[in-house]
Amino acid sequence: MTEHPTSHEGRQPLAARPQERARPRQEAAAGLPDVPAQPGGAPVPGAESPAAPGVPAAPLGSGGSGAVAVAVSPQPSGGGGTSARREGERLRFVGAATRRIARGIDLDEIVLGLCRATVPTFSDEILVYLRDPLPVGDERPVAPFVLRLRRTDRLRLTDPESEELVLVPDPDPTPAAELCEVRSGGALAEVLRGVRPVFGDSAAAREALGELLGTDHPLPGGLRAILAPLRGRRRVIGAAVFLRRPERAGFEPNDLLVAAQLATHTALGIDKAVLYGREAYIADELQRTMLPDSLPQPTGVRLASRYLPAAETARVGGDWYDAIPLPGSRVALVVGDVMGHSMTSAAIMGQLRTTAQTLAGLDLPPQEVLHHLDEQAQRLGENRMATCLYAVYDPVSHRITVANAGHPPPILLHLGGRAEVLRVPPGAPIGVGGVDFEAVELDAPAGATLLLYTDGLVESRLRDVWTGIEQLRERLAATAQLTGPDHSPPLEALCDDVLDMLGPGDRDDDIALLAARFDGIAPSDVAYWFLDPEDAAPGRARRLARRALARWDLEDLTDSVELLISEVVTNAVRYAERPVTLRLLRTDVLRCEVGDDSPQLPRQRRARDTDESGRGLFLVNRLARRWGATRLSGGKVVWFELATRT
């Protein structure tokens, strides 16, 4: 049988503290326990659950010791006073137990709360079975009806000959089957259908317990039991078995009402926990799918990112980041923030991010991208506000073009350790409408790091946004000083260090962070030509490429490059009216780019045996490591890459 955890698993018996020291055993035999209470019936601190009738009172808590001293007192004379006292104790116990159960948020916390509240105060042992799988909301349960043992808790009295009665974890709980299939029409099904708790000594309950615990695990003799179905809002979702040992007073009829209260609160709490778990899963999946699974690694730039939700209980929001490869080895860097932290904000963020990716694919200028995003936000509805910063980095020219829509300015960390806040036009947020956006072009030297972020990193209740930006700039400069003037700090470590600047009260908003390390491409690794759209262009392209490869000591790629360039340039010349561009880039791969003014993208197709053309892209697809075509505002670029053999 699978060993199940107990609420006191791994704890060692401890000697009773002075304030918890038990009274002599002759007082324990006298009757009811002494329940610690404050005036007005409230439990004293340290006693989580007031005792039920005939039950030893014990301080309960997840952080307490595994050994609990039992405090007992003589039973007062007078039947009426005893009955009233017992009813008062029951009410206090039920109140404290239900509060403990209600504190749980997830499924395990609620089940643990039930176990800690009832063992040993109400029972010596508890078995909690839950439906497997648990149905969510009003969805149809999965057949067959299977119960799985979720948790077993048990405490026992030790050393009965001593002057104290001490409760310690029992390493040998009552044997029980881990799985139980509830047979339709069986005794267990009838008890569960009745919903009300039943004593274990009735004929129906004995048969139901035998079915629940398994035929190989009969209930030990002398144990008294209550079988309580756990019914949620729509259906039975499990069962709880409360057990008492023979040396303890048996259950009373009023204890059925206590068990019913505990079962009802537990079942409703489990229902809510399952629904909350489903909603949290949906929100988490929505947020995860809205953000990139991984960042691309374009030529000449290295990227790292972080995303932190505003809180663990609300992991969905409107912050996003993205890195989009563009033609010409460029890359678009995007970070944005939609107003709010709801699933609606995440959905709007996803729409804006998709729009930005589409606009980036058209190779529009940054200010035009923000203009179209503003129009899209207005089409989504009123008050769809967002901030966004869109930057395009060119590793060949070592320049970056930035446009801003109400977003905090980026920070550029230079190789020497100097950090500066870039002066970019602030712009109005996306969704305002009727606002022009401006773009600025700035130097992006090799070795520098650009940090894009959302306002959750720099703004909180404790500081305004500009104070936070200055603190972030100082933090980046201090981090760069640790690596020396000739080395840039590692990107991943830099992102972690930036997030470490957040204090306990600085997490009021989501945080999206995108860091880009500019490596650039050296001019000596770039070859660029213009070719007139004439029949001689493919031959001239082959000669130029051959010379460049010889200069780079890549003669072993000459045959493949000449063949592929000839095919791509021939196709470009056929449709071009203006000069065709040819560019070779040498990095860890050899990249060839051919651009023309025709917007029609080439499409690979299988040529027939009688066709005289149509095989060019087939050759490119077979020989190139990667290839693609991108439509530009003034035409298109067809590119391919070959691995360099070193």
Side-chain angles (χ1 to χ4, degrees):
M1 187 188 78
T2 304
E3 183 177 353
H4 297 275
T6 69
S7 61
H8 301 271
E9 183 177 357
R11 301 179 184 170
Q12 299 297 324
L14 301 176
R17 293 189 290 268
Q19 64 269 27
E20 296 173 348
R21 204 167 289 279
R23 297 192 176 100
R25 281 178 295 130
Q26 56 266 28
E27 292 186 1
L32 290 171
D34 181 17
V35 181
Q38 293 176 330
V44 298
E48 174 63 25
S49 303
V55 182
L60 299 179
S62 59
S65 167
V68 184
V70 180
V72 295
S73 62
Q75 179 178 356
S77 59
T82 301
S83 177
R85 181 185 177 191
R86 291 192 179 194
E87 290 305 317
E89 291 168 350
R90 276 195 186 90
L91 290 176
R92 290 196 297 272
F93 165 73
V94 171
T98 53
R99 286 194 300 272
R100 189 183 190 99
I101 295 170
R103 283 205 300 263
I105 296 178
D106 59 27
L107 184 62
D108 291 331
E109 289 180 348
I110 293 171
V111 174
L112 177 62
L114 171 65
C115 295
R116 295 283 174 85
T118 55
V119 179
T121 312
F122 182 69
S123 63
D124 297 312
E125 185 176 357
I126 184 173
L127 308 175
V128 181
Y129 283 84
L130 295 181
R131 194 163 189 161
D132 187 27
L134 277 169
V136 180
D138 56 356
E139 69 180 19
R140 188 176 184 84
V142 178
F145 190 161
V146 176
L147 294 177
R148 179 181 293 274
L149 183 60
R150 185 80 184 195
R151 191 176 182 90
T152 301
D153 276 22
R154 183 178 186 180
L155 296 177
R156 64 181 175 86
L157 294 171
T158 185
D159 197 8
E161 298 301 326
S162 67
E163 292 299 321
E164 296 178 349
L165 298 177
V166 181
L167 290 167
V168 299
D170 193 334
D172 300 317
T174 299
E178 183 179 359
L179 290 176
C180 170
E181 182 175 340
V182 182
R183 294 179 287 105
S184 178
L188 180 58
E190 291 299 322
V191 172
L192 296 179
R193 188 177 296 112
V195 178
R196 299 179 181 276
V198 295
F199 287 123
D201 55 0
S202 65
R206 282 198 300 270
E207 188 176 349
L209 284 172
E211 183 180 343
L212 180 63
L213 302 181
T215 56
D216 298 334
H217 308 93
L219 195 67
L223 282 180
R224 275 70 61 87
I226 289 179
L227 175 58
L230 302 177
R231 177 180 173 82
R233 288 176 296 175
R234 291 179 174 84
R235 60 183 65 86
V236 173
I237 59 174
V241 182
F242 303 96
L243 299 172
R244 284 186 183 176
R245 297 174 62 86
E247 61 267 20
R248 185 170 179 174
F251 290 110
E252 300 178 359
N254 285 340
D255 288 332
L256 292 178
L257 300 178
V258 174
Q261 287 283 340
L262 297 176
T264 299
H265 281 81
T266 301
L268 293 177
I270 290 173
D271 257 359
K272 294 178 181 178
V274 173
L275 286 172
Y276 171 79
R278 172 64 63 86
E279 291 181 358
Y281 170 79
I282 293 173
D284 191 56
E285 284 294 301
L286 176 63
Q287 183 72 57
R288 186 185 63 80
T289 55
M290 294 300 182
L291 296 174
D293 292 332
S294 60
L295 292 174
Q297 296 299 325
T299 303
V301 61
R302 286 172 286 169
L303 303 171
S305 63
R306 294 291 187 274
Y307 174 79
L308 290 180
E312 285 299 320
T313 55
R315 291 180 290 180
V316 63
D319 291 18
W320 92 91
Y321 61 88
D322 213 342
I324 309 167
L326 299 177
S329 299
R330 295 170 300 146
V331 59
L333 307 173
V334 192
V335 65
D337 183 2
V338 177
M339 180 177 60
H341 308 107
S342 63
M343 295 180 67
T344 301
S345 301
I348 296 172
M349 177 266 287
Q351 291 175 300
L352 294 179
R353 177 174 177 244
T354 301
T355 303
Q357 289 178 327
T358 304
L359 296 171
L362 299 177
D363 199 28
L364 297 179
Q367 65 272 21
E368 289 296 323
V369 172
L370 295 184
H371 174 73
H372 289 293
L373 283 176
D374 179 60
E375 292 181 337
Q376 175 67 10
Q378 295 178 64
R379 285 191 290 266
L380 293 177
E382 296 181 357
N383 299 323
R384 303 307 191 195
M385 306 287 289
T387 63
C388 182
L389 191 140
Y390 188 95
V392 175
Y393 170 64
D394 189 341
V396 176
S397 64
H398 297 270
R399 303 281 288 177
I400 186 168
T401 306
V402 185
N404 189 15
H407 203 78
I411 297 179
L412 185 65
L413 178 62
H414 293 268
L415 183 60
R418 182 173 62 92
E420 64 169 327
V421 180
L422 296 184
R423 296 183 178 180
V424 297
I430 290 172
V432 173
V435 179
D436 290 331
F437 298 98
E438 300 179 33
V440 294
E441 188 174 347
L442 305 168
D443 288 329
T449 303
L450 184 70
L451 194 72
L452 309 180
Y453 53 91
T454 55
D455 58 357
L457 181 65
V458 295
E459 185 179 22
S460 69
R461 294 187 300 268
L462 305 179
R463 59 185 178 187
D464 62 82
V465 61
W466 288 107
T467 301
I469 291 174
E470 180 60 23
Q471 292 177 357
L472 175 59
R473 188 195 66 79
E474 294 175 353
R475 185 63 175 251
L476 290 173
T479 302
Q481 294 296 330
L482 299 177
T483 59
D486 299 329
H487 298 85
S488 301
L491 272 185
E492 298 294 338
L494 181 66
C495 292
D496 293 335
D497 191 68
V498 165
L499 295 180
D500 286 342
M501 67 177 283
L502 297 172
D506 290 347
R507 290 291 306 281
D508 299 333
D509 199 357
D510 305 343
I511 297 174
L513 182 67
L514 179 63
R517 173 71 42 75
F518 300 141
D519 294 331
I521 300 177
S524 59
D525 292 328
V526 180
Y528 192 86
W529 305 279
F530 287 95
L531 304 174
D532 292 328
E534 56 188 13
D535 294 340
R540 182 166 180 260
R542 290 193 296 269
R543 292 191 300 272
L544 294 173
R546 185 164 55 247
R547 295 172 188 170
L549 294 177
R551 187 170 65 251
W552 292 334
D553 295 327
L554 297 176
E555 289 90 344
D556 53 342
L557 298 180
T558 300
D559 293 340
S560 298
V561 171
E562 286 187 0
L563 175 60
L564 298 184
I565 282 182
S566 181
E567 294 294 338
V568 176
V569 171
T570 299
N571 188 74
V573 169
R574 179 177 302 173
Y575 301 101
E577 297 180 358
R578 297 177 183 176
V580 174
T581 60
L582 172 62
R583 184 164 72 169
L584 295 180
L585 302 173
R586 182 187 65 166
T587 55
D588 54 338
V589 298
L590 180 68
R591 181 182 177 98
C592 174
E593 299 172 350
V594 178
D596 61 74
D597 60 347
S598 173
Q600 183 178 356
L601 296 180
R603 181 172 57 89
Q604 183 182 353
R605 63 184 180 86
R606 183 173 296 276
R608 294 172 296 182
D609 295 339
T610 58
D611 290 344
E612 296 182 358
S613 62
R615 298 176 179 83
L617 290 182
F618 177 78
L619 292 174
V620 174
N621 186 62
R622 292 297 299 270
L623 297 178
R625 178 174 174 263
R626 291 195 311 153
W627 77 278
T630 305
R631 182 178 285 112
L632 307 178
S633 56
K636 67 175 180 295
V637 169
V638 180
W639 57 269
F640 63 83
E641 292 178 351
L642 292 173
T644 57
R645 301 176 181 87
T646 57

Short mmCIF file of all heavy atoms in Angstrom, two decimals, residues 335-339 370 374 385-390 402-410 424-432 435-438 453-456 458-459 465-466 469:
data_model
loop_
_atom_site.label_atom_id
_atom_site.label_comp_id
_atom_site.label_asym_id
_atom_site.label_seq_id
_atom_site.Cartn_x
_atom_site.Cartn_y
_atom_site.Cartn_z
N VAL A 335 8.60 46.30 -26.25
CA VAL A 335 8.11 46.10 -24.89
C VAL A 335 6.87 46.97 -24.72
O VAL A 335 6.83 48.11 -25.21
CB VAL A 335 9.19 46.43 -23.83
CG1 VAL A 335 9.55 47.90 -23.87
CG2 VAL A 335 8.75 46.01 -22.45
N GLY A 336 5.84 46.42 -24.08
CA GLY A 336 4.59 47.16 -23.94
C GLY A 336 3.88 46.83 -22.65
O GLY A 336 4.20 45.85 -21.96
N ASP A 337 2.89 47.63 -22.31
CA ASP A 337 2.16 47.49 -21.05
C ASP A 337 0.73 47.93 -21.28
O ASP A 337 0.46 49.11 -21.52
CB ASP A 337 2.83 48.33 -19.96
CG ASP A 337 2.16 48.15 -18.61
OD1 ASP A 337 1.22 47.35 -18.50
OD2 ASP A 337 2.59 48.82 -17.65
N VAL A 338 -0.20 46.96 -21.21
CA VAL A 338 -1.63 47.27 -21.32
C VAL A 338 -2.16 47.57 -19.92
O VAL A 338 -1.77 46.93 -18.94
CB VAL A 338 -2.40 46.08 -21.94
CG1 VAL A 338 -3.90 46.37 -21.98
CG2 VAL A 338 -1.88 45.79 -23.33
N MET A 339 -3.03 48.53 -19.82
CA MET A 339 -3.59 48.94 -18.54
C MET A 339 -4.38 47.79 -17.92
O MET A 339 -5.20 47.15 -18.57
CB MET A 339 -4.50 50.15 -18.74
CG MET A 339 -5.15 50.67 -17.47
SD MET A 339 -6.14 52.15 -17.79
CE MET A 339 -7.33 51.51 -18.98
N LEU A 370 3.80 52.10 -34.43
CA LEU A 370 3.03 52.63 -33.30
C LEU A 370 1.73 53.27 -33.76
O LEU A 370 0.70 53.18 -33.08
CB LEU A 370 3.87 53.64 -32.52
CG LEU A 370 5.12 53.08 -31.82
CD1 LEU A 370 5.79 54.18 -31.00
CD2 LEU A 370 4.77 51.90 -30.93
N ASP A 374 -1.93 52.09 -32.51
CA ASP A 374 -2.90 53.03 -31.94
C ASP A 374 -4.26 52.85 -32.59
O ASP A 374 -5.30 52.84 -31.90
CB ASP A 374 -2.37 54.45 -32.11
CG ASP A 374 -3.33 55.49 -31.56
OD1 ASP A 374 -3.62 55.44 -30.35
OD2 ASP A 374 -3.80 56.34 -32.34
N MET A 385 -6.13 51.25 -23.38
CA MET A 385 -4.91 52.03 -23.33
C MET A 385 -3.70 51.13 -23.12
O MET A 385 -3.77 50.12 -22.41
CB MET A 385 -4.98 53.06 -22.19
CG MET A 385 -6.20 53.96 -22.25
SD MET A 385 -6.11 55.16 -23.57
CE MET A 385 -4.83 56.22 -22.92
N ALA A 386 -2.59 51.51 -23.71
CA ALA A 386 -1.34 50.76 -23.55
C ALA A 386 -0.18 51.68 -23.86
O ALA A 386 -0.30 52.64 -24.63
CB ALA A 386 -1.32 49.53 -24.46
N THR A 387 0.95 51.39 -23.26
CA THR A 387 2.20 52.05 -23.62
C THR A 387 3.07 51.05 -24.37
O THR A 387 2.95 49.84 -24.17
CB THR A 387 2.94 52.57 -22.38
OG1 THR A 387 3.31 51.46 -21.56
CG2 THR A 387 2.06 53.52 -21.58
N CYS A 388 3.93 51.56 -25.23
CA CYS A 388 4.76 50.66 -26.04
C CYS A 388 6.01 51.39 -26.49
O CYS A 388 5.98 52.60 -26.76
CB CYS A 388 3.97 50.16 -27.26
SG CYS A 388 4.88 49.00 -28.31
N LEU A 389 7.11 50.66 -26.53
CA LEU A 389 8.35 51.17 -27.08
C LEU A 389 8.82 50.18 -28.14
O LEU A 389 8.93 48.98 -27.89
CB LEU A 389 9.41 51.34 -25.99
CG LEU A 389 10.67 52.12 -26.42
CD1 LEU A 389 11.12 53.04 -25.29
CD2 LEU A 389 11.79 51.18 -26.80
N TYR A 390 9.10 50.72 -29.34
CA TYR A 390 9.46 49.89 -30.48
C TYR A 390 10.81 50.38 -31.00
O TYR A 390 10.96 51.56 -31.35
CB TYR A 390 8.39 50.00 -31.57
CG TYR A 390 8.55 49.05 -32.73
CD1 TYR A 390 7.88 47.83 -32.76
CD2 TYR A 390 9.36 49.37 -33.82
CE1 TYR A 390 8.02 46.96 -33.83
CE2 TYR A 390 9.50 48.51 -34.89
CZ TYR A 390 8.83 47.31 -34.89
OH TYR A 390 8.97 46.45 -35.96
N VAL A 402 14.39 54.29 -32.56
CA VAL A 402 13.46 54.09 -31.45
C VAL A 402 12.27 55.03 -31.60
O VAL A 402 12.43 56.21 -31.90
CB VAL A 402 14.15 54.36 -30.09
CG1 VAL A 402 13.21 54.03 -28.94
CG2 VAL A 402 15.44 53.56 -29.97
N ALA A 403 11.07 54.47 -31.37
CA ALA A 403 9.84 55.26 -31.28
C ALA A 403 9.13 54.87 -30.00
O ALA A 403 9.13 53.69 -29.61
CB ALA A 403 8.95 55.02 -32.50
N ASN A 404 8.50 55.87 -29.36
CA ASN A 404 7.93 55.64 -28.04
C ASN A 404 6.48 56.09 -28.00
O ASN A 404 6.10 57.10 -28.61
CB ASN A 404 8.74 56.41 -26.98
CG ASN A 404 8.34 56.03 -25.57
OD1 ASN A 404 7.67 55.02 -25.35
ND2 ASN A 404 8.74 56.84 -24.60
N ALA A 405 5.65 55.32 -27.28
CA ALA A 405 4.24 55.67 -27.08
C ALA A 405 3.95 55.65 -25.59
O ALA A 405 3.37 54.70 -25.05
CB ALA A 405 3.33 54.70 -27.82
N GLY A 406 4.39 56.70 -24.89
CA GLY A 406 4.09 56.86 -23.48
C GLY A 406 4.79 55.89 -22.56
O GLY A 406 4.36 55.71 -21.41
N HIS A 407 5.87 55.27 -23.00
CA HIS A 407 6.55 54.23 -22.23
C HIS A 407 7.79 54.81 -21.55
O HIS A 407 8.37 55.79 -22.05
CB HIS A 407 6.95 53.07 -23.15
CG HIS A 407 7.13 51.78 -22.43
ND1 HIS A 407 6.07 51.00 -22.05
CD2 HIS A 407 8.25 51.14 -22.02
CE1 HIS A 407 6.52 49.93 -21.45
NE2 HIS A 407 7.84 49.98 -21.41
N PRO A 408 8.21 54.25 -20.42
CA PRO A 408 9.47 54.72 -19.80
C PRO A 408 10.64 54.56 -20.77
O PRO A 408 10.72 53.58 -21.51
CB PRO A 408 9.63 53.80 -18.59
CG PRO A 408 8.24 53.35 -18.27
CD PRO A 408 7.54 53.25 -19.58
N PRO A 409 11.56 55.52 -20.79
CA PRO A 409 12.66 55.48 -21.76
C PRO A 409 13.62 54.33 -21.48
O PRO A 409 13.82 53.95 -20.32
CB PRO A 409 13.34 56.84 -21.58
CG PRO A 409 13.01 57.23 -20.18
CD PRO A 409 11.64 56.70 -19.90
N PRO A 410 14.25 53.77 -22.52
CA PRO A 410 15.23 52.70 -22.30
C PRO A 410 16.53 53.26 -21.74
O PRO A 410 16.79 54.47 -21.77
CB PRO A 410 15.43 52.13 -23.71
CG PRO A 410 15.13 53.27 -24.63
CD PRO A 410 14.07 54.08 -23.94
N VAL A 424 14.38 59.92 -25.83
CA VAL A 424 13.47 59.60 -26.93
C VAL A 424 12.18 60.37 -26.70
O VAL A 424 11.80 60.64 -25.54
CB VAL A 424 13.20 58.08 -26.98
CG1 VAL A 424 14.47 57.31 -27.28
CG2 VAL A 424 12.59 57.57 -25.68
N PRO A 425 11.49 60.78 -27.76
CA PRO A 425 10.22 61.49 -27.59
C PRO A 425 9.24 60.64 -26.79
O PRO A 425 9.07 59.45 -27.07
CB PRO A 425 9.74 61.69 -29.03
CG PRO A 425 10.97 61.62 -29.87
CD PRO A 425 11.88 60.64 -29.18
N PRO A 426 8.62 61.22 -25.76
CA PRO A 426 7.74 60.41 -24.90
C PRO A 426 6.52 59.88 -25.63
O PRO A 426 6.14 58.73 -25.46
CB PRO A 426 7.37 61.37 -23.77
CG PRO A 426 7.55 62.74 -24.36
CD PRO A 426 8.67 62.63 -25.33
N GLY A 427 5.89 60.69 -26.45
CA GLY A 427 4.71 60.24 -27.18
C GLY A 427 3.51 60.02 -26.26
O GLY A 427 3.62 60.03 -25.03
N ALA A 428 2.35 59.82 -26.85
CA ALA A 428 1.13 59.53 -26.12
C ALA A 428 0.89 58.03 -26.10
O ALA A 428 1.33 57.31 -27.00
CB ALA A 428 -0.06 60.25 -26.77
N PRO A 429 0.19 57.53 -25.10
CA PRO A 429 -0.08 56.09 -25.06
C PRO A 429 -0.90 55.62 -26.25
O PRO A 429 -1.65 56.39 -26.86
CB PRO A 429 -0.84 55.91 -23.74
CG PRO A 429 -0.48 57.10 -22.92
CD PRO A 429 -0.27 58.22 -23.89
N ILE A 430 -0.77 54.37 -26.57
CA ILE A 430 -1.58 53.76 -27.62
C ILE A 430 -3.03 53.74 -27.17
O ILE A 430 -3.35 53.40 -26.03
CB ILE A 430 -1.07 52.33 -27.90
CG1 ILE A 430 0.30 52.39 -28.58
CG2 ILE A 430 -2.05 51.55 -28.75
CD1 ILE A 430 0.96 51.04 -28.71
N GLY A 431 -3.92 54.09 -28.07
CA GLY A 431 -5.34 54.13 -27.76
C GLY A 431 -5.89 55.52 -27.61
O GLY A 431 -7.12 55.70 -27.58
N VAL A 432 -5.01 56.52 -27.48
CA VAL A 432 -5.49 57.90 -27.36
C VAL A 432 -6.09 58.37 -28.67
O VAL A 432 -7.16 58.97 -28.72
CB VAL A 432 -4.33 58.82 -26.92
CG1 VAL A 432 -4.77 60.28 -26.96
CG2 VAL A 432 -3.87 58.45 -25.51
N VAL A 435 -2.68 61.07 -32.60
CA VAL A 435 -1.37 61.56 -32.13
C VAL A 435 -0.30 61.06 -33.08
O VAL A 435 -0.30 59.89 -33.48
CB VAL A 435 -1.09 61.07 -30.69
CG1 VAL A 435 0.28 61.55 -30.23
CG2 VAL A 435 -2.17 61.55 -29.75
N ASP A 436 0.61 61.95 -33.44
CA ASP A 436 1.74 61.55 -34.28
C ASP A 436 2.87 61.03 -33.40
O ASP A 436 3.12 61.55 -32.30
CB ASP A 436 2.26 62.74 -35.10
CG ASP A 436 1.27 63.16 -36.18
OD1 ASP A 436 0.53 62.27 -36.65
OD2 ASP A 436 1.25 64.35 -36.54
N PHE A 437 3.53 60.01 -33.87
CA PHE A 437 4.67 59.44 -33.16
C PHE A 437 5.95 59.78 -33.90
O PHE A 437 5.97 59.83 -35.13
CB PHE A 437 4.51 57.92 -33.03
CG PHE A 437 3.30 57.51 -32.25
CD1 PHE A 437 2.13 57.13 -32.91
CD2 PHE A 437 3.31 57.49 -30.87
CE1 PHE A 437 1.01 56.75 -32.21
CE2 PHE A 437 2.19 57.12 -30.16
CZ PHE A 437 1.03 56.75 -30.82
N GLU A 438 7.00 60.02 -33.14
CA GLU A 438 8.30 60.37 -33.70
C GLU A 438 9.30 59.25 -33.42
O GLU A 438 9.18 58.51 -32.45
CB GLU A 438 8.82 61.67 -33.09
CG GLU A 438 7.90 62.87 -33.32
CD GLU A 438 8.47 64.11 -32.68
OE1 GLU A 438 9.72 64.24 -32.63
OE2 GLU A 438 7.69 64.95 -32.20
N TYR A 453 12.05 47.96 -20.43
CA TYR A 453 11.36 47.50 -19.24
C TYR A 453 9.99 48.16 -19.17
O TYR A 453 9.72 49.16 -19.87
CB TYR A 453 12.18 47.85 -17.98
CG TYR A 453 12.55 49.32 -17.92
CD1 TYR A 453 11.73 50.24 -17.28
CD2 TYR A 453 13.71 49.79 -18.54
CE1 TYR A 453 12.05 51.59 -17.24
CE2 TYR A 453 14.04 51.13 -18.51
CZ TYR A 453 13.21 52.03 -17.86
OH TYR A 453 13.52 53.36 -17.84
N THR A 454 9.13 47.64 -18.33
CA THR A 454 7.84 48.26 -18.07
C THR A 454 7.89 49.01 -16.75
O THR A 454 8.81 48.85 -15.95
CB THR A 454 6.72 47.21 -18.04
OG1 THR A 454 7.05 46.20 -17.07
CG2 THR A 454 6.56 46.55 -19.40
N ASP A 455 6.88 49.84 -16.52
CA ASP A 455 6.94 50.74 -15.36
C ASP A 455 6.86 50.01 -14.03
O ASP A 455 7.16 50.59 -12.99
CB ASP A 455 5.84 51.79 -15.45
CG ASP A 455 4.44 51.17 -15.52
OD1 ASP A 455 4.35 49.94 -15.56
OD2 ASP A 455 3.46 51.93 -15.55
N GLY A 456 6.46 48.73 -14.02
CA GLY A 456 6.44 47.99 -12.77
C GLY A 456 7.79 47.84 -12.14
O GLY A 456 7.91 47.63 -10.93
N VAL A 458 10.14 50.28 -12.10
CA VAL A 458 10.68 51.55 -11.59
C VAL A 458 9.65 52.38 -10.83
O VAL A 458 10.02 53.42 -10.26
CB VAL A 458 11.23 52.39 -12.77
CG1 VAL A 458 12.43 51.69 -13.39
CG2 VAL A 458 10.16 52.64 -13.84
N GLU A 459 8.40 51.95 -10.79
CA GLU A 459 7.38 52.76 -10.13
C GLU A 459 6.63 51.91 -9.11
O GLU A 459 6.30 50.75 -9.37
CB GLU A 459 6.40 53.32 -11.16
CG GLU A 459 5.38 54.28 -10.58
CD GLU A 459 4.44 54.84 -11.64
OE1 GLU A 459 4.30 54.20 -12.70
OE2 GLU A 459 3.85 55.90 -11.41
N VAL A 465 8.13 57.33 -10.83
CA VAL A 465 8.77 56.64 -11.94
C VAL A 465 10.16 57.18 -12.23
O VAL A 465 11.10 56.42 -12.51
CB VAL A 465 7.87 56.70 -13.19
CG1 VAL A 465 7.63 58.14 -13.62
CG2 VAL A 465 8.45 55.90 -14.33
N TRP A 466 10.36 58.49 -12.13
CA TRP A 466 11.67 59.06 -12.46
C TRP A 466 12.71 58.74 -11.39
O TRP A 466 13.89 58.54 -11.70
CB TRP A 466 11.56 60.55 -12.70
CG TRP A 466 10.85 60.86 -13.98
CD1 TRP A 466 9.60 61.35 -14.13
CD2 TRP A 466 11.37 60.63 -15.29
NE1 TRP A 466 9.29 61.46 -15.47
CE2 TRP A 466 10.36 61.02 -16.21
CE3 TRP A 466 12.58 60.13 -15.79
CZ2 TRP A 466 10.53 60.93 -17.58
CZ3 TRP A 466 12.74 60.04 -17.17
CH2 TRP A 466 11.73 60.44 -18.04
N ILE A 469 13.69 55.24 -12.26
CA ILE A 469 14.57 55.17 -13.44
C ILE A 469 16.00 55.54 -13.06
O ILE A 469 16.96 54.90 -13.50
CB ILE A 469 14.03 56.09 -14.55
CG1 ILE A 469 12.71 55.52 -15.12
CG2 ILE A 469 15.05 56.26 -15.66
CD1 ILE A 469 12.03 56.43 -16.12
#
